[in-house]
Amino acid sequence: MYFLGRFALVLFLMQGICFQNFAKPLDSINFADSIAVHDLEGVTISATGRPRISPNIGQLQALNLSSLERLNALQLSDAVKFFAGANVRDYGGIGGLKTVSVRSLGASHTGVFVDRIPMRNAMNGQIDLGKFSLNTIGEIQLSSDNFSQTLQTASFFSKSSQLSLITASPTFDENQNTQVDVSLRVGSFGLFNPQFNIHQRFGNQLFSLNADYQRASGNYPFELINGQIRTIETRTNSAVESYRVDLMWRNLSNSRHQYFVKANFFDNHRQLPGPVIFYNPTSNQEMWDREKALQAQYNFWFRDSTELLFNAKVSETFNRYVDHNFLAAQQPLDLRFTQTEWFGSAAVQRRMFGFLQTSLSTDIIRHNMRSNLPRFSYPTRVTSLTNWGTSLSWRSFVFYKNLLYTATFEGAESDDVANNRSRLTSMFGVNYRNPNFSARFFYRETYRIPTFNELYYTSVGNTGLIPESARQFNLGFSVGNSLQERAYFVVSVDGYLNRVRDKIVAIPTTNLFTWSMRNIGKVDILGVDAVLKSGVDVNQRLDFFSKISYTFQDARDVSNPRSATYNQQIAYTPRHSGSVVFGVNSFLTLQYSLLFAGERYRVAVNTPNNRLEPYFDHNISLSRNFSTRRTDWRVVFEVLNFTNKNYEIVAFYPMPGRHYRLTVRARLAPARMDASDRANRATTRRSNT
């Protein structure tokens, strides 16, 4: 009852604020009776999207809608690869698992938030980025400093890095209440991906329906190297079929009330190709994922700079894994897991004296999991998160601090139950900003709770695990300028030091077939993230744009001086990586992009046998935007990995070679009128008169 009492206390404080503010009279506006009203024709203004010339206050990377369209990303993971410091672990193919680790802290330290509501996976702590469609996303943000000028849930401050997805808001022309987006993407290896999105406005209320279907055989060729022998093989058992349906209701007005209710359904069936093994190309594994979620958000601003935020979510996730050839058994291995989540959050933020801002947020999350594993513990966890944050603005400086209290309450049907945990962690930072320059420093602590698999997985889990702890130091700056409004550049550089202690790793116990989870890991990470954006407008019909990002990460295992892995680079972390985007925008948009990564090692023993070769992934796209009478069109043709380079991000999981995609998108506006429509309607009205 302890966490319920704290939750009720926060609600009581918010109620007092509400009563205080509702007692104030609303302002009224009187208009003169003799005001003249004239109908003016609407004007459409279009321009090339640019990054903000004034540098960001915090350590924030963002891709807006214009940037996402230029990248032509199929999935969220395709876009995240272009962020500095983000290491996407891709198991190949369209249906392969895709997770992200930011600044080498691990995928479980990265939080994914959709419209400020956290996405969670209590089973393994990792969010599969491959299940997110970009069809409805208006902006993607990646930050590591927890500095945000918007009110957030307490869960936002519990992660080392935050990957935030913001849903795009449709724009309606005058006299338009319906907007329909239809797109079809086809490509190599049997890719078939239709999407449908409809927005219907009723006054200031908006109803949106989004449907996304994806199917692919995924059987692509790759080069297999065995000593001096090189053969061309075909990736098999790689098919994927998935669909997603989102239904949303929200308000469109610019009032002090903002709210939405959203229902999601996601179903995915994919074959798992497995690692490439010499002379044994067969794989007979499958996975099913099904997720149902209902979430709601209410945001309210008072006139005295007080803001309230309420979030609620309930979801159920079903996962099934089948291995038809498991140890040549007569019965296939068939594992089934079901997670249920209940999430509630309340937050309040207030600005006082014009320079001081303070916020208080609390989250209550309940997870339970069921499985058909023998001797399964059927765990339940209630997590309470409470964050108090303050920020002080003085001249060009912003000082901010957060205190986060985390408490977990564990339960299980077995006698072996993990201990309840609690920890107070802190974070503080300072930012300096002027119109064309900003500098920043922050220090923060994070606390990662072990997942259900790490604690309770049959014969592997260890209920005695303690949470991982991480400390981060960051120092960076940004410089930006525009030259006569025709050219711009933005440079951002951040250096950081991360220290992870009590890292949870799996180690063999009595033999190579019996593993257990242990807190033995220690990792020191020294890194640099650098980003350069620039562009030049030659004239109204021609402009150039570019973005270069580079990451250096020296991430060493310092667990045991007597170990063979001591002071060596941790697995799958390249010291050098980055991306390049360069484009020309005219009546056609031509874009070239490059993703590169230096050598990595598949395990923490840095020997030549464990080395993965550097790779360079070159892509090129050609797109055209045009409009007909009531429809806006976009056509994109892409050549991916056009050098046909054979490479692996994860060992023994080859990535596709050269392949192609064609996308056609139509935005229909049934009620939109062009100039001829307006003239005809005016002529008809005069004739009737």
Side-chain angles (χ1 to χ4, degrees):
M1 299 299 294
Y2 170 69
F3 58 91
L4 293 177
R6 289 176 36 243
F7 189 73
L9 176 61
V10 173
L11 293 179
F12 177 78
L13 294 175
M14 293 179 180
Q15 188 180 31
I17 295 174
C18 292
F19 288 152
Q20 175 187 357
N21 285 276
F22 279 129
K24 298 179 181 180
L26 297 177
D27 296 335
S28 59
I29 301 175
N30 296 322
F31 296 94
D33 294 334
S34 58
I35 201 166
V37 179
H38 301 278
D39 291 330
L40 299 178
E41 280 196 14
V43 178
T44 301
I45 301 175
S46 60
T48 303
R50 288 185 174 182
R52 299 178 181 91
I53 299 303
S54 180
N56 292 313
I57 293 181
Q59 193 276 326
L60 175 69
Q61 301 180 72
L63 291 171
N64 58 21
L65 186 59
S66 175
S67 301
L68 289 173
E69 286 185 345
R70 287 174 171 175
L71 287 179
N72 302 313
L74 177 64
Q75 298 169 327
L76 175 61
S77 56
D78 299 328
V80 174
K81 291 177 182 179
F82 289 90
F83 285 131
N87 182 17
V88 175
R89 188 172 294 186
D90 192 331
Y91 288 80
I94 296 174
L97 179 68
K98 298 167 178 64
T99 61
V100 60
S101 172
V102 179
R103 297 186 171 185
S104 299
L105 291 172
S108 297
H109 284 270
T110 302
V112 179
F113 301 84
V114 179
D115 295 323
R116 295 189 280 185
I117 297 179
M119 304 291 106
R120 294 180 178 274
N121 188 335
M123 183 172 72
N124 57 36
Q126 301 182 4
I127 304 299
D128 182 8
L129 302 186
K131 73 177 183 179
F132 291 96
S133 171
L134 296 178
N135 188 30
T136 60
I137 301 302
E139 186 171 9
I140 303 174
Q141 299 176 351
L142 179 64
S143 61
S144 297
D145 60 356
N146 279 165
F147 182 83
S148 176
Q149 298 188 50
T150 59
L151 185 58
Q152 299 285 352
T153 63
S155 298
F156 184 86
F157 303 95
S158 67
K159 295 295 185 178
S160 298
S161 298
Q162 303 83 26
L163 182 63
S164 300
L165 313 180
I166 302 172
T167 302
S169 296
T171 55
F172 292 94
D173 293 335
E174 185 181 3
N175 299 324
Q176 179 191 357
N177 292 314
T178 304
Q179 187 180 103
V180 180
D181 288 334
V182 181
S183 68
L184 176 63
R185 180 181 284 114
V186 295
S188 303
F189 322 126
L191 174 63
F192 178 72
N193 178 209
Q195 296 176 341
F196 174 80
N197 200 342
I198 182 170
H199 303 285
Q200 180 64 49
R201 181 175 63 174
F202 298 96
N204 64 348
Q205 303 298 309
L206 175 69
F207 293 86
S208 300
L209 171 65
N210 173 63
D212 187 322
Y213 175 78
Q214 182 174 277
R215 184 189 67 202
S217 65
N219 296 334
Y220 52 86
F222 67 96
E223 185 180 34
L224 180 62
I225 302 175
N226 185 8
Q228 300 297 322
I229 303 175
R230 295 173 178 259
T231 58
I232 301 299
E233 307 291 339
T234 300
R235 202 80 163 114
T236 59
N237 200 59
S238 301
V240 60
E241 183 175 23
S242 67
Y243 61 91
R244 169 185 290 275
V245 178
D246 299 332
L247 183 62
M248 187 181 216
W249 164 49
R250 59 177 165 173
N251 66 324
L252 287 175
S253 65
N254 294 323
S255 68
R256 293 177 290 146
H257 300 265
Q258 295 292 326
Y259 51 84
F260 72 78
V261 178
K262 187 175 183 181
N264 311 90
F265 182 79
F266 173 73
D267 187 274
N268 181 33
H269 172 218
R270 52 186 164 183
Q271 298 174 329
L272 304 179
V276 173
I277 302 174
F278 293 128
Y279 312 115
N280 184 20
T282 62
S283 177
N284 201 1
Q285 302 170 347
E286 298 178 273
M287 180 174 287
W288 288 262
D289 302 289
R290 185 177 298 117
E291 181 177 345
K292 297 175 288 185
L294 178 65
Q295 52 196 2
Q297 183 179 100
Y298 177 72
N299 212 171
F300 183 77
W301 291 266
F302 293 103
R303 293 188 181 276
D304 64 345
S305 301
T306 300
E307 180 184 357
L308 296 178
L309 177 66
F310 297 94
N311 288 287
K313 178 183 178 183
V314 57
S315 66
E316 182 181 81
T317 303
F318 171 77
N319 307 99
R320 182 186 179 193
Y321 169 79
V322 176
D323 186 349
H324 296 277
N325 296 331
F326 179 68
L327 297 179
Q330 294 182 355
Q331 295 294 328
L333 178 67
D334 190 344
L335 302 179
R336 305 185 184 200
F337 303 90
T338 301
Q339 302 177 65
T340 304
E341 175 188 347
W342 296 84
F343 169 80
S345 174
V348 60
Q349 177 175 276
R350 180 167 184 147
R351 179 172 295 277
M352 298 176 291
F353 313 115
F355 60 87
L356 178 64
Q357 181 172 283
T358 183
S359 65
L360 178 66
S361 57
T362 186
D363 299 354
I364 302 295
I365 311 106
R366 185 182 188 275
H367 286 106
N368 61 50
M369 189 169 76
R370 308 185 302 274
S371 175
N372 65 342
L373 275 172
R375 305 187 308 278
F376 192 67
S377 300
Y378 294 92
T380 299
R381 172 184 293 160
V382 176
T383 305
S384 172
L385 301 169
T386 301
N387 183 82
W388 174 55
T390 58
S391 64
L392 174 66
S393 301
W394 177 71
R395 294 186 178 178
S396 298
F397 291 90
V398 177
F399 304 87
Y400 57 97
K401 181 178 180 62
N402 288 289
L403 290 175
L404 176 70
Y405 181 74
T406 304
T408 61
F409 306 87
E410 304 282 348
E413 293 187 4
S414 65
D415 295 332
D416 192 11
V417 182
N419 293 329
N420 298 336
R421 302 289 181 183
S422 63
R423 176 77 67 88
L424 181 66
T425 54
S426 63
M427 185 262 184
F428 64 86
V430 57
N431 291 312
Y432 170 81
R433 176 180 178 180
N434 67 29
N436 294 313
F437 175 79
S438 69
R440 52 193 169 268
F441 167 81
F442 71 83
Y443 164 79
R444 63 163 311 178
E445 304 165 342
T446 51
Y447 183 65
R448 184 181 83 79
I449 305 296
T451 66
F452 280 164
N453 279 356
E454 293 166 341
L455 292 172
Y456 300 107
Y457 200 95
T458 302
S459 301
V460 177
N462 178 7
T463 57
L465 291 174
I466 62 175
E468 289 183 5
S469 60
R471 292 186 295 167
Q472 304 175 67
F473 302 85
N474 185 97
L475 182 63
F477 69 90
S478 297
V479 178
N481 203 353
S482 59
L483 307 174
Q484 298 179 352
E485 298 298 328
R486 308 201 68 166
Y488 67 91
F489 74 90
V490 178
V491 179
S492 180
V493 179
D494 282 89
Y496 48 89
L497 172 64
N498 301 333
R499 311 196 75 180
V500 182
R501 296 297 180 263
D502 299 318
K503 190 170 182 63
I504 301 172
V505 295
I507 62 172
T509 54
T510 57
N511 54 60
L512 291 178
F513 298 97
T514 305
W515 292 68
S516 181
M517 311 305 297
R518 293 287 187 269
N519 286 107
I520 64 170
K522 297 181 181 180
V523 179
D524 285 347
I525 305 157
L526 180 66
V528 176
D529 293 340
V531 179
L532 168 64
K533 295 181 182 179
S534 62
V536 177
D537 288 347
V538 178
N539 52 48
Q540 293 183 351
R541 296 178 177 269
L542 178 64
D543 66 87
F544 298 88
F545 58 90
S546 65
K547 177 188 175 185
I548 301 174
S549 66
Y550 168 76
T551 296
F552 169 79
Q553 289 185 2
D554 185 76
R556 297 179 180 270
D557 180 0
V558 294
S559 303
N560 185 357
R562 295 184 297 273
S563 171
T565 65
Y566 182 73
N567 208 31
Q568 298 197 35
Q569 189 83 350
I570 63 176
Y572 292 110
T573 302
R575 282 189 170 85
H576 307 280
S577 61
S579 63
V580 175
V581 177
F582 177 77
V584 181
N585 187 31
S586 184
F587 70 98
L588 292 174
T589 299
L590 176 65
Q591 177 176 287
Y592 163 79
S593 64
L594 165 69
L595 292 167
F596 68 90
E599 65 176 17
R600 296 95 63 221
Y601 296 90
R602 58 188 179 92
V603 294
V605 180
N606 297 172
T607 61
N609 291 335
N610 296 325
R611 180 177 179 269
L612 291 176
E613 293 289 336
Y615 70 83
F616 295 84
D617 187 356
H618 304 266
N619 307 290
I620 193 168
S621 68
L622 187 66
S623 61
R624 174 82 165 98
N625 294 342
F626 61 95
S627 298
T628 56
R629 188 174 184 181
R630 287 186 174 89
T631 306
D632 297 329
W633 295 87
R634 177 175 175 81
V635 180
V636 183
F637 178 70
E638 304 166 82
V639 183
L640 308 173
N641 192 7
F642 67 78
T643 60
N644 204 28
K645 175 66 176 178
N646 190 65
Y647 70 94
E648 298 173 348
I649 296 179
V650 177
F652 312 120
Y653 287 82
M655 298 294 290
R658 183 186 302 115
H659 55 292
Y660 309 90
R661 285 203 303 247
L662 175 65
T663 304
V664 179
R665 190 190 72 189
R667 173 166 294 174
L668 313 176
R672 186 171 61 184
M673 295 186 298
D674 55 21
S676 60
D677 290 329
R678 296 190 185 95
N680 293 334
R681 179 170 293 187
T683 302
T684 302
R685 185 169 58 246
R686 286 194 298 269
S687 301
N688 292 337
T689 303

